[in-house]
Amino acid sequence: MRDQLEDAHQHRDDGYGRAQHLNRVELPKRFYKEVAAGPIDGGFVVTLDGRPVRTPGRKLPVLVPAAAIATAMAEEWAAQGEFIDPATMPMVRLINSAIESGEEMIPAFREEVVKFAASDLMLYRAESPRELVSEQELAWDKALTAIARHFGVSFQPTMGIIHQSQPKATLDRLAEALVGENLFVLTALVSITGLTGSGLLAMGLWHKLFSPDQVWQAAHVDEDYQISHWGEDDEAAERRVKRRVEFDTAVAVLDAMRA
């Protein structure tokens, strides 16, 4: 199930795939000297030599609702050297993705989180070996209980990878809990959902049921078990580090939106 969820994630643009693609093309030269972030009517902007930045695709103004987000973006712009490397600008990529998606994508983003929750990582348990079963129980049982109590829902975990439908009332309640969330929150939640394979962990993080480290650990129970027995190759380790950067960036957006 984790492999299926990761395959689905690869078809969604969370910024990581685009960053990998951009590493293979010629990087643009830095064209600015001064970077600043500050308030403007309706939010906060980043300026390059006094001019507000725009998204790379649809060339929309990058207006964000929180000063901390603008500051983080400005730091990424300021850290660029002779060339501008989007792979080193996770906050810029995530926010650009949100703005270019537009408000019209809000319902689809809510649906994506609930869709992942309906076949959530934590709901599909290993039948063996016993050590892995125990590690899944330790990491996931308390998490599911916390989520069930917080949202007033129930879940039906299963063994193996055969699809198990979740109660309609549960999915309706989770969808209801996402109503009213803005584009930036939902963009961050979609990113976290894809990176972890768990809409439930993403929602639990937003509702402060878990810390970011608890979510990351819970999302990697299977992977960590395999590493403990077979080791980890360098490519997989590098990819995990990069995914953690994307995860932490999305968490930073959630933290900024709470402030």
Side-chain angles (χ1 to χ4, degrees):
M1 177 55 62
R2 174 61 182 272
D3 291 340
Q4 294 171 354
L5 291 170
E6 288 190 343
D7 288 343
H9 170 51
Q10 290 302 315
H11 293 288
R12 185 184 62 76
D13 181 10
D14 63 1
Y16 180 80
R18 274 195 296 173
Q20 293 297 92
H21 170 71
L22 288 166
N23 279 339
R24 298 192 293 268
V25 301
E26 184 177 352
L27 298 176
K29 286 189 176 183
R30 177 169 173 160
F31 57 87
Y32 55 89
K33 294 181 179 180
E34 300 295 330
V35 181
I40 195 174
D41 290 345
F44 301 85
V45 296
V46 175
T47 59
L48 307 178
D49 293 336
R51 302 178 63 181
V53 298
R54 291 178 174 270
T55 65
R58 294 169 59 186
K59 303 297 183 182
L60 300 172
V62 179
L63 179 67
V64 297
I69 295 175
T71 298
M73 295 173 67
E75 290 173 351
E76 291 179 355
W77 281 108
Q80 299 304 298
E82 181 182 358
F83 296 93
I84 301 173
D85 184 359
T88 65
M89 306 172 76
M91 183 64 79
V92 169
R93 294 199 319 272
L94 186 63
I95 296 304
N96 283 343
S97 175
I99 292 173
E100 292 193 341
S101 294
E103 299 284 336
E104 62 271 20
M105 284 298 294
I106 284 178
F109 286 169
R110 291 199 300 257
E111 182 179 345
E112 183 164 2
V113 175
V114 176
K115 181 179 179 180
F116 266 75
S119 56
D120 203 84
L121 170 77
M122 296 190 293
L123 298 175
Y124 289 82
R125 306 299 181 89
E127 298 179 85
S128 63
R130 184 60 219 174
E131 295 89 342
L132 176 57
V133 172
S134 296
E135 290 181 19
Q136 288 180 344
E137 290 174 348
L138 182 64
W140 295 347
D141 285 358
K142 288 184 179 180
L144 285 177
T145 298
I147 293 168
R149 288 176 177 172
H150 182 79
F151 293 107
V153 297
S154 62
F155 299 104
Q156 296 178 355
T158 187
M159 305 290 282
I161 61 173
I162 297 177
H163 178 69
Q164 170 65 56
S165 297
Q166 297 305 309
K168 182 177 183 299
T170 292
L171 301 181
D172 288 347
R173 177 68 188 94
L174 294 175
E176 178 186 340
L178 291 170
V179 172
E181 304 296 2
N182 67 35
L183 176 63
F184 296 94
V185 169
L186 288 169
T187 297
L189 289 178
V190 166
S191 181
I192 292 168
T193 295
L195 290 164
T196 62
S198 176
L200 296 178
L201 287 173
M203 292 184 68
L205 179 60
W206 174 234
H207 285 260
K208 303 185 76 171
L209 302 180
F210 321 115
S211 70
D213 284 344
Q214 287 173 324
V215 168
W216 191 253
Q217 186 273 331
H220 291 84
V221 170
D222 292 0
E223 185 177 314
D224 287 341
Y225 175 82
Q226 295 298 328
I227 291 172
S228 70
H229 283 73
W230 307 105
E232 183 178 34
D233 62 59
D234 293 341
E235 183 178 345
E238 182 181 0
R239 177 171 174 78
R240 179 158 168 169
V241 169
K242 291 178 178 178
R243 290 172 62 247
R244 180 62 196 249
V245 171
E246 303 292 337
F247 174 83
D248 288 340
T249 300
V251 170
V253 170
L254 296 184
D255 288 344
M257 296 307 300
R258 287 195 192 98

